[in-house]
Amino acid sequence: MTILENVLIDRGSRYAVAGGPAASKADAEALIKELKKKKKFAKATHNSWALLTDDGPVKNDDGESGAGMVIIRMLERENLQNHLIVVTRWFGGVHLGGDRFRHIQTSVNAYLDDLKR
């Protein structure tokens, strides 16, 4: 699993992104369990994730409403199948409104850029 920490900070909220190969919801949940072995990720406010499987999209907003769909759309654009992406947010005390969706996109783009290297 690849983890990119401190992707961005806005009004106290911090973002990280992680991911790796996964072919099913069970694979995704196993990777998330591995990620949460790191205490800071277990204590995060949100670990939103998505995955395009051969059977269709799978997502979990983890309380960050709409986050999974943002990740799915980006995976579809990249035609990236069987690869989990998790966007982690530590809430900083200020609601970000619609900016949170841009931050999810920024985080996913950082991951995709890293994946292409």
Side-chain angles (χ1 to χ4, degrees), residues 11-25:
R11 291 167 268 180
S13 284
R14 293 177 298 121
Y15 285 81
V17 64
S24 67
K25 183 177 181 181

Side-chain angles (χ1 to χ4, degrees), residues 6 10-13 16 37 41 44 46 49 57 69 71 73 75 83 88 90 94 96 102 106 109 113 117:
N6 302 316
D10 180 14
R11 291 167 268 180
S13 284
K37 285 181 181 176
F41 286 90
H46 308 287
W49 60 269
M69 201 64 219
I71 301 168
R73 283 195 295 270
L75 288 168
H83 200 98
T88 301
W90 292 269
V94 176
L96 302 179
R102 282 196 296 284
T106 298
N109 279 328
D113 289 347
R117 285 186 201 150

Side-chain angles (χ1 to χ4, degrees), residues 18-35:
S24 67
K25 183 177 181 181
D27 289 351
E29 288 170 345
L31 282 173
I32 291 178
K33 187 175 181 181
E34 178 186 327
L35 179 67

Side-chain angles (χ1 to χ4, degrees), residues 30-70:
L31 282 173
I32 291 178
K33 187 175 181 181
E34 178 186 327
L35 179 67
K36 287 183 173 182
K37 285 181 181 176
K38 295 178 183 293
K39 194 179 205 178
K40 70 187 278 182
F41 286 90
K43 290 184 165 198
T45 312
H46 308 287
N47 284 293
S48 307
W49 60 269
L51 162 71
L52 295 178
T53 69
D54 296 334
D55 296 326
V58 182
K59 67 179 176 65
N60 186 322
D61 292 339
D62 193 31
E64 185 81 285
S65 183
M69 201 64 219
V70 171

